[in-house]
């Protein structure tokens, strides 16, 4: 019979810690578990190999014996002891996996393992589900509840104000059912925020461009601007330069999970040059040019 490389089966290094071995086993056992792969003979075979490798490497004494003799296991004193223990268990009628559950190598070296059957009843968390949810930017200006349909199920969500595009929130227990009574997986929802407004968003700050006519820019005055939650009037200082920026504190977007806190709205003035000038206007501009 051939030597079985349990480290290779679990995909771990020979110097792997107990924690690393346990993590590798759980990941593979979850992937190949018979309950999740019904009627899949290859998965069932792989699951048995994984269980066998874990039975050896997760038990310090078994691992010590395995590491000590390795490919020369048949020449080790422990081999004979293992065979004797196996015979004793058979005579005593101890219960374990049937002969087919373990390889000949395992049976010969370790004499079976009555505790191995526990792996079939190990509880596993169900798979997580992933979903994308498109949402308009106006909807996330305030915290609100929303009902979404996923795989025929209706799920009620509370969507916090200020959620980011691409942000993922986790809804516990709304994934696939667990195995052997294990907990359900989670639902991970990725938000795709659709912004069809004139405002550009950077986290909690908003940015917009406002056209300013030449005369108001030169002489000053008052204009009405759009903010995300309505209109407001702004005073324009005389001789306002092109691309002047003004900050309206608290007129930006809500801060995520900070109720009542908002970012700022930064406005950039874009001065419009008048076109289709009348003869009189051209004459007046020439006069101004001479004065300058």
């Amino acid at each position: 019979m051939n030597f079985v490389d349990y480290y290779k089966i679990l995909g771990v290094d020979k110097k792997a810690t107990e924690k690393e071995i346990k993590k590798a086993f759980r990941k593979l056992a979850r992937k190949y578990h018979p309950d999740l792969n019904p009627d899949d003979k290859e998965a069932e075979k792989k699951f048995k190999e994984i269980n066998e490798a874990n039975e050896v490497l997760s038990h310090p004494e078994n691992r010590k014996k395995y590491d000590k003799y390795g490919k020369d296991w048949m020449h080790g004193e422990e081999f004979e002891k293992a065979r004797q223990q196996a015979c004793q268990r058979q005579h005593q009628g101890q219960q374990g996996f049937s002969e087919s559950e373990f390889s000949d190598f395992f049976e010969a070296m370790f004499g079976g393992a009555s505790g191995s059957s526990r792996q079939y009843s190990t509880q596993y968390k169900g798979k997580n589900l992933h979903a994308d949810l498109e949402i308009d930017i106006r909807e996330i200006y305030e915290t609100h509840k929303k009902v979404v349909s996923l795989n025929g199920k209706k799920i009620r969500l509370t969507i916090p104000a200020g959620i980011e595009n691409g942000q993922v929130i986790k809804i516990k227990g709304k994934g696939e059912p667990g195995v052997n009574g294990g907990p359900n997986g989670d639902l991970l929802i990725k938000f795709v925020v659709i912004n069809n407004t004139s405002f550009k968003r950077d986290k909690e700050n908003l940015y917009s461009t406002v056209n300013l006519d030449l005369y108001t820019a030169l002489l000053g005055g008052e204009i009405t601007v759009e903010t995300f939650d309505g209109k407001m009037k702004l005073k324009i200082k005389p001789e306002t330069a092109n691309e002047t920026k003004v900050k309206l504190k608290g007129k930006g977007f809500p801060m995520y999970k900070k109720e009542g806190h908002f970012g700022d709205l930064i406005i950039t003035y874009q001065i419009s040059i008048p076109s289709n000038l009348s003869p009189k206007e051209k004459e007046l501009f020439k006069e101004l040019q001479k004065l300058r």
Side-chain angles (χ1 to χ4, degrees), residues 14-227:
K14 288 185 178 181
K15 295 181 180 179
T17 63
E18 288 185 23
K19 185 176 181 181
E20 289 170 335
I21 289 172
K22 182 178 180 181
K23 182 178 179 182
F25 164 70
R26 286 190 172 276
K27 181 179 179 181
L28 291 171
R30 175 68 181 79
K31 181 178 180 181
Y32 293 105
H33 196 285
D35 288 353
L36 298 177
N37 300 275
D39 303 321
D40 188 334
K41 297 299 181 183
E42 279 300 313
E44 183 179 352
K45 179 183 176 183
K46 187 72 175 176
F47 184 74
K48 289 177 182 179
E49 291 176 352
I50 294 162
N51 269 290
E52 183 174 310
N54 182 65
E55 185 65 31
V56 174
L57 300 184
S58 66
H59 291 73
E61 288 302 316
N62 285 352
R63 184 178 181 182
K64 183 178 179 182
K65 183 195 306 183
Y66 178 77
D67 288 342
K68 182 176 181 180
Y69 293 105
K71 292 183 179 181
D72 298 322
W73 62 276
M74 292 188 71
H75 304 293
E77 179 184 353
E78 295 296 323
F79 167 65
E80 291 301 326
K81 290 182 180 179
R83 286 174 73 91
Q84 292 171 12
Q85 291 171 359
C87 290
Q88 288 175 3
R89 272 195 286 270
Q90 287 175 359
H91 289 304
Q92 293 169 0
Q94 289 188 0
Q95 197 172 13
F97 276 166
S98 65
E99 205 171 307
S100 62
E101 299 291 356
F102 290 97
S103 67
D104 292 340
F105 168 77
F106 183 95
E107 293 291 343
M109 188 172 187
F110 299 100
S114 60
S116 298
S117 60
R118 70 184 184 277
Q119 304 301 347
Y120 279 99
S121 60
T122 300
Q123 293 182 336
Y124 295 96
K125 182 180 179 181
K127 285 184 179 179
N128 291 338
L129 294 178
H130 298 262
D132 289 349
L133 178 61
E134 287 191 0
I135 191 166
D136 190 274
I137 192 171
R138 296 177 184 84
E139 292 185 72
I140 55 171
Y141 191 70
E142 294 181 345
T143 298
H144 68 288
K145 295 185 184 297
K146 189 179 184 75
V147 177
V148 297
S149 294
L150 182 66
N151 295 337
K153 296 180 180 179
K154 289 187 176 180
I155 299 173
R156 188 180 299 275
L157 305 175
T158 296
I159 301 177
I163 202 161
E164 291 279 347
N165 180 48
Q167 188 170 342
V168 176
I169 64 172
K170 179 168 67 177
I171 312 299
K172 285 191 173 184
K174 294 298 182 180
E176 291 189 359
V179 177
N180 294 332
N184 289 352
D186 302 321
L187 170 61
L188 302 174
I189 297 180
K190 179 182 177 181
F191 285 86
V192 181
V193 179
I194 308 299
N195 184 4
N196 291 322
T197 71
S198 60
F199 299 95
K200 291 183 179 179
R201 180 189 175 198
D202 182 11
K203 295 182 179 177
E204 66 270 14
N205 290 329
L206 294 175
Y207 296 82
S208 71
T209 300
V210 171
N211 289 325
L212 197 62
D213 68 77
L214 178 64
Y215 311 106
T216 304
L218 290 172
L219 303 175
E222 189 176 79
I223 63 171
T224 300
V225 298
E226 292 282 349
T227 68

Side-chain angles (χ1 to χ4, degrees), residues 210 212 214 216-218 236-246 268-271:
V210 171
L212 197 62
L214 178 64
T216 304
L218 290 172
I236 306 298
K237 294 180 179 180
E239 300 179 10
T240 294
N242 189 45
E243 295 192 350
T244 294
K245 297 183 188 302
V246 293
T268 301
Y269 290 132
Q270 194 73 44
I271 297 176

